[in-house]
């Protein structure tokens, strides 16, 4: 149910040129590329195996013309929507608030960002590589609150949608 509701959130808000940052196996990229209100999806992932898999899946689904592949966030490009829903990305970055600022810069003024995160190593340290330093997490939340405004949605999921504060 959680995955289905995440796709509903994307359906509700994704449009125009979309960046899927840390796209993993590409499920959100492929689903988003199928929406008529989406012109192009830029799939960004550092893992070459993931990129090859998503390219293959895109070819099989006839979506190759609508998806662009990259390894790093493209410089000076702007997006109508940014999707950052893959777990185990933001919480591994040394300074997640800096990534938020990069997203803010890349997002068009009327754009929306859909994202989630989990700054928690778990009670028994099941996620030892997750960032959970209280000071860095507080800076992240302060940055989020100063740059974005959450958009209400009725879906029962951990992902959230924000619009850019201008």
């Amino acid at each position: 149910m959680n995955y289905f509701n995440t796709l509903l959130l994307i359906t509700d808000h994704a449009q125009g040129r979309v960046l899927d940052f840390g796209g993993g196996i590409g499920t959100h990229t492929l689903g988003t590329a199928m929406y008529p209100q989406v012109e192009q999806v830029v799939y960004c992932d550092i893992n070459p195996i993931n990129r090859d898999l998503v390219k293959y899946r895109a070819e099989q689904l006839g979506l190759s013309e609508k998806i662009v592949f990259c390894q790093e966030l493209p410089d000076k490009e702007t997006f109508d929507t940014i999707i950052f829903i893959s777990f185990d990305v933001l919480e591994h970055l040394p300074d997640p608030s800096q990534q938020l600022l990069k997203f803010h810069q890349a997002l068009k003024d009327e754009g929306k960002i859909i994202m989630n995160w989990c700054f928690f190593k778990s009670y028994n340290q099941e996620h030892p590589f997750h960032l959970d330093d209280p000071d860095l997490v507080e800076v992240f939340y302060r940055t989020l609150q100063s740059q974005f405004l959450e958009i209400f949605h009725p879906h029962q999921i951990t992902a959230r949608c924000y619009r850019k504060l201008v």
Side-chain angles (χ1 to χ4, degrees), residues 80 100 102 139-140 160:
D80 300 291
L100 278 180
K102 288 180 183 178
V139 170
F140 170 83
R160 295 286 180 253

Side-chain angles (χ1 to χ4, degrees), residues 99-144:
Q99 189 62 58
L100 278 180
L101 293 173
K102 288 180 183 178
F103 287 150
H104 189 272
Q105 195 170 33
L107 193 63
K108 292 182 180 177
D109 285 348
E110 63 282 354
K112 295 180 183 172
I113 184 169
I114 301 168
M115 60 182 169
N116 67 9
W117 57 86
C118 180
F119 294 120
F120 184 51
K121 291 185 180 189
S122 189
Y123 297 107
N124 296 311
Q125 303 298 302
E126 289 93 359
H127 309 291
F129 300 110
H130 281 203
L131 171 74
D132 71 352
D133 176 276
D135 293 333
L136 287 174
V137 173
E138 182 172 334
V139 170
F140 170 83
Y141 281 108
R142 289 186 184 279
T143 303
L144 177 67

Side-chain angles (χ1 to χ4, degrees), residues 10 13-18 32 37-40 79-81 110-112:
I10 294 169
H13 297 286
Q15 63 179 2
R17 189 156 187 260
V18 177
T32 303
Q37 71 272 22
V38 171
E39 298 163 18
Q40 180 185 59
F79 300 92
D80 300 291
T81 310
E110 63 282 354
K112 295 180 183 172

